[in-house]
Amino acid sequence: MLRHSLRRLLGLIPTLLMLITVAFFMMRVAPGGPFDSEKSLPPEIEANLNAKYHLDDPLLKQYFHYLGQVAVLDFGPSFQYKDWTVNELIAQGFPVSMTVGVLAMSLAFIVGTLLGIAAALRQNTRIDYSLMGVAMLGISIPNFVIAPILILVLAVYAGWLPAGGWDGGFASMVLPVLTLALPATAYIARLTRGSMIEVLHSNFIRTARAKGLPESVVIRRHALRPVLLPVISFMGPAMAGMISGSVVIERIFSIPGLGSYFVQGALNRDYTLVMGVVILYGVLIILLNFVVDLIYAWLNPKIRYDETS
Amino acid sequence: MSLLAVRNLDVNFDTPDGEVHAVTKLNFSISAGDALGIVGESGSGKTQTMMAVMGLLAENGHASGQALFKGHDLLQMDTAELNHHRGKEIAMIFQDPMTSLNPYLSIEKQMVEVVMHHQGLSKAEARAHALEMLSAVRIPDPERRIRQYPHEYSGGMRQRVMVAMGLVCEPDLLIADEPTTALDVTVQAQICQLMSELRRKSNTAIILITHDLGVVAGLCDKVLVMYAGHPVECGSVEQIYYRPRHPYTKGLLDSVPRLDQPEEKGLHAIPGNPPNLLSLPRGCRFRERCPKAFADCVEAPPMSVDSEGHAYRCFLDEPA
């Protein structure tokens, strides 16, 4: 198991190298550059700027220079936010996005699985239909519609919560976390329900019932593991998306997270910032998929890796 | 008093196409320590009969009539009451050993939980008991094997584990639903031998559901033949095998391939198919496939019993 994990983590390096290469050259292929603006700069100044950021070097040289920087985890200066390095921007934005993302995903997981199981156990009753109806709404209503409604009801009319802003306190987290969690909750609830219904019809559940175990034990001990498998594999990549920041939610609630940097960076051709965020996202995806694999192996004995093999 | 007495059992399923009559007016009983074989082709209702007894019918299925186990009607019990009997006094072994064990739990967990739940033993005691049972069904090296998962067992070994799991609480009744169908012949013989040994040792009654007449002959004293949800014949193994009264039973026996018959006769098959359980024909349900059908058969024949206790559902008053 340990050996297998190490090998998997080493496999991260070529994947990231490929990601960096593709992203690097795609950015450069896109028309425009970081210092293009409506008023064109005097050619001397532009030449000086390009020289300062090594943008006048041959592309391959720039690429290997950048690889060297990344190897020591230095993502370079931001072209747009000129007083900041990309490392500083990420260090500032990522914790905020991660807090919101992790809270939202945990909420979605707990509430989603519970609702899904409740619906599955009452399959084709009114409770099941209404839960799944609400879940369908949760999936299909976009978050830029849900967010203003939540703000209007909970912040403006009721006055319980701030309408936006971020002070790291609980009250300022509630609305963004709720908004972010809602579609994921709905999706997980539907996933869990489907999975539960399928598992409850399997032969080994019949065996467990024939053993005379109480239904609660049948569900907890025998059904839960296989039910959670598809949920876990959904949560890995979804988690990466959620903790690397949602542009819409960060804009609406004025949260200083990572999501807005990504979009701004792409629009401004802020090469280093975009590369930094892309690499971070790539690392997150790979790491979380790795975690998913570990949880999978823990839940499912069939895919546990032997030391011998 | 018989251990299990099934009286007027009907099992029906609501389907989008109408009501499926899986079992109609079934009566049988089994005494402590007896072995009863229930035979019939696929869809004859043998499995659903046992599912009804165990309270394991699918959601769209419902049973009526009585299934008296030690005088208490299993069909009237809710799940909590049923759970006092299931696994403890009545155990069931299923057809498909590959999928009937939980692939996510070790054999140890799956065996120990039954013992702990029903006998209130500690984990260590339950484990010792489970190990004993695994040795009894001849799992080699049980100390190591018990920690493994179902996918590390072969099909035959899984079925032996199922037998061990069924018998671990020393039930009064073991229901085995085609326990050997999915296994190859040598393993079949082992499982059958195992069940008859355990039956002798612990006086457990066995209901064996199968379409394999050979298995029944080896293991059972009484046989119930079912056709399209109806019991058609019931008697001792000798009566059924040597003096079948119902043409369907005769047909079943003739379709067993035999080495002592000339090759050119080929395999015997009963022509036609069983009737559609959605709309059963009036009269004898075997009428359309019966080589001896005559005018009276448009009326449903009652179950007749001869002087030796051999019961059959046919108007013919002669051995078939």
Side-chain angles (χ1 to χ4, degrees):
Chain A
M1 192 75 216
L2 190 72
R3 232 221 244 127
H4 173 79
S5 308
L6 282 177
R7 209 182 310 147
R8 280 290 303 272
L9 284 177
L10 281 182
L12 203 152
I13 293 168
T15 317
L16 274 181
L17 199 65
M18 214 138 91
L19 176 75
I20 292 171
T21 310
V22 171
F24 184 88
F25 289 105
M26 285 220 345
M27 279 296 286
R28 302 305 162 114
V29 167
F35 306 117
D36 295 342
S37 55
E38 284 170 27
K39 265 195 306 181
S40 61
L41 293 169
E44 302 83 26
I45 297 184
E46 201 174 339
N48 279 341
L49 276 170
N50 282 340
K52 182 178 181 248
Y53 291 110
H54 301 287
L55 290 176
D56 53 354
D57 285 344
L59 201 54
L60 267 182
K61 195 180 168 196
Q62 290 185 38
Y63 169 69
F64 285 112
H65 180 232
Y66 186 71
L67 278 187
Q69 279 188 306
V70 170
V72 293
L73 295 180
D74 174 12
F75 295 116
S78 163
F79 294 155
Q80 183 69 26
Y81 307 91
K82 294 198 179 64
D83 295 339
W84 299 78
T85 66
V86 172
N87 291 42
E88 287 167 340
L89 287 174
I90 290 178
Q92 197 196 40
F94 184 54
V96 176
S97 296
M98 194 168 85
T99 310
V100 176
V102 168
L103 285 177
M105 202 38 139
S106 315
L107 184 72
F109 175 68
I110 296 169
V111 177
T113 43
L114 286 179
L115 290 182
I117 291 172
L121 294 182
R122 293 163 184 76
Q123 194 194 347
N124 298 336
T125 63
R126 220 173 293 164
I127 299 174
D128 178 25
Y129 292 140
S130 30
L131 279 177
M132 286 307 114
V134 173
M136 206 60 233
L137 280 180
I139 293 172
S140 45
I141 301 180
N143 47 12
F144 56 80
V145 175
I146 290 172
I149 294 175
L150 285 179
I151 293 178
L152 209 58
V153 176
L154 295 175
V156 179
Y157 294 156
W160 294 334
L161 296 163
W166 182 263
D167 55 9
F170 177 72
S172 65
M173 293 181 191
V174 174
L175 287 183
V177 167
L178 273 185
T179 314
L180 194 57
L182 204 68
T185 311
Y187 191 78
I188 290 177
R190 291 185 66 88
L191 208 58
T192 309
R193 174 186 179 270
S195 172
M196 186 61 143
I197 287 172
E198 198 185 308
V199 170
L200 284 181
H201 282 103
S202 55
N203 285 347
F204 63 85
I205 293 297
R206 188 181 62 188
T207 307
R209 287 183 175 143
K211 284 177 179 176
L213 302 172
E215 192 67 12
S216 59
V217 175
V218 172
I219 305 247
R220 249 186 302 122
R221 197 178 297 154
H222 287 268
L224 206 54
R225 272 168 189 251
V227 164
L228 287 183
L229 287 176
V231 179
I232 298 293
S233 55
F234 158 75
M235 276 176 62
M239 188 87 162
M242 274 165 97
I243 64 181
S244 57
S246 148
V247 190
V248 177
I249 283 170
E250 290 177 4
R251 274 295 161 84
I252 294 176
F253 293 104
S254 349
I255 300 172
L258 207 57
S260 355
Y261 289 141
F262 191 36
V263 177
Q264 282 301 314
L267 291 177
N268 295 326
R269 303 284 182 274
D270 193 339
Y271 293 153
T272 44
L273 180 55
V274 170
M275 287 303 295
V277 180
V278 163
I279 293 173
L280 176 72
Y281 189 71
V283 170
L284 281 177
I285 287 267
I286 296 173
L287 279 184
L288 285 165
N289 272 318
F290 175 62
V291 172
V292 164
D293 283 357
L294 289 184
I295 299 179
Y296 239 78
W298 174 64
L299 287 175
N300 188 353
K302 259 192 232 177
I303 51 174
R304 269 171 213 167
Y305 306 97
D306 291 334
E307 288 297 331
T308 46
S309 65
Chain B
M1 188 178 68
S2 44
L3 183 66
L4 176 71
V6 167
R7 300 267 166 266
N8 280 326
L9 180 72
D10 277 5
V11 179
N12 297 314
F13 291 90
D14 297 321
T15 70
D17 300 324
E19 197 170 50
V20 171
H21 307 280
V23 180
T24 322
K25 296 275 166 286
L26 178 64
N27 290 287
F28 72 87
S29 64
I30 178 169
S31 306
D34 272 1
L36 169 73
I38 302 186
V39 288
E41 59 202 293
S42 305
S44 59
K46 38 195 206 306
T47 296
Q48 293 312 326
T49 302
M50 289 307 138
M51 291 295 175
V53 168
M54 291 291 284
L56 293 173
L57 286 176
E59 290 101 7
N60 62 339
H62 33 86
S64 59
Q66 282 184 319
L68 299 171
F69 181 73
K70 296 181 177 174
H72 304 287
D73 191 354
L74 295 168
L75 299 185
Q76 298 303 319
M77 292 182 192
D78 59 27
T79 312
E81 286 175 275
L82 265 178
N83 283 342
H84 289 303
H85 304 287
R86 293 198 289 207
K88 187 184 182 187
E89 296 170 281
I90 315 174
M92 186 157 177
I93 299 171
F94 298 96
Q95 185 169 1
D96 187 358
M98 304 311 274
T99 58
S100 291
L101 287 165
N102 189 331
Y104 302 95
L105 300 176
S106 65
I107 300 300
E108 172 167 2
K109 279 207 175 113
Q110 300 188 51
M111 286 194 72
V112 163
E113 68 174 353
V114 206
V115 190
M116 285 176 70
H117 180 70
H118 288 300
Q119 304 189 330
L121 295 180
S122 75
K123 204 170 186 173
E125 290 168 316
R127 188 168 187 276
H129 208 59
L131 281 172
E132 217 173 278
M133 223 41 237
L134 285 179
S135 315
V137 297
R138 284 185 223 104
I139 297 284
D141 196 0
E143 275 286 352
R144 181 174 67 87
R145 280 295 191 165
I146 197 170
R147 286 194 301 271
Q148 294 185 327
Y149 290 84
H151 68 271
E152 296 167 272
Y153 281 64
S154 69
M157 287 180 77
R158 289 189 211 187
Q159 196 62 300
R160 274 186 272 167
V161 169
M162 285 296 288
V163 174
M165 213 159 77
L167 295 173
V168 74
C169 286
E170 291 169 9
D172 302 308
L173 175 62
L174 177 71
I175 300 171
D177 183 6
E178 310 222 13
T180 58
T181 306
L183 307 174
D184 62 56
V185 187
T186 48
V187 183
Q188 266 185 27
Q190 289 171 10
I191 299 278
C192 288
Q193 203 193 345
L194 198 68
M195 286 198 297
S196 74
E197 257 173 50
L198 295 167
R199 175 187 162 212
R200 239 175 294 128
K201 250 189 242 166
S202 53
N203 201 34
T204 301
I206 294 179
I207 296 180
L208 179 72
I209 300 171
T210 185
H211 52 249
D212 186 336
L213 290 162
V215 174
V216 173
L219 199 63
C220 302
D221 342 289
K222 268 176 78 181
V223 186
L224 171 70
V225 183
M226 287 183 72
Y227 182 77
H230 252 160
V232 290
E233 184 158 5
C234 186
S236 69
V237 169
E238 290 76 29
Q239 288 168 339
I240 299 288
Y241 281 69
Y242 297 114
R243 300 183 295 280
R245 299 295 299 256
H246 197 284
Y248 176 63
T249 313
K250 180 88 171 69
L252 269 187
L253 289 166
D254 286 344
S255 27
V256 176
R258 293 177 61 149
L259 286 173
D260 60 353
Q261 265 169 9
E263 213 175 295
E264 55 270 23
K265 274 186 82 178
L267 286 175
H268 174 83
I270 304 175
N273 287 307
N276 183 351
L277 295 173
L278 276 165
S279 53
L280 286 163
R282 252 172 57 81
C284 176
R285 289 180 183 182
F286 189 57
R287 171 170 42 117
E288 277 161 23
R289 300 169 77 186
C290 183
K292 299 191 175 173
F294 60 109
D296 284 5
C297 297
V298 294
E299 295 299 324
M303 207 72 170
S304 336
V305 185
D306 70 12
S307 53
E308 294 162 31
H310 185 170
Y312 54 98
R313 188 187 292 278
C314 190
F315 288 119
L316 289 171
D317 200 18
E318 57 180 86

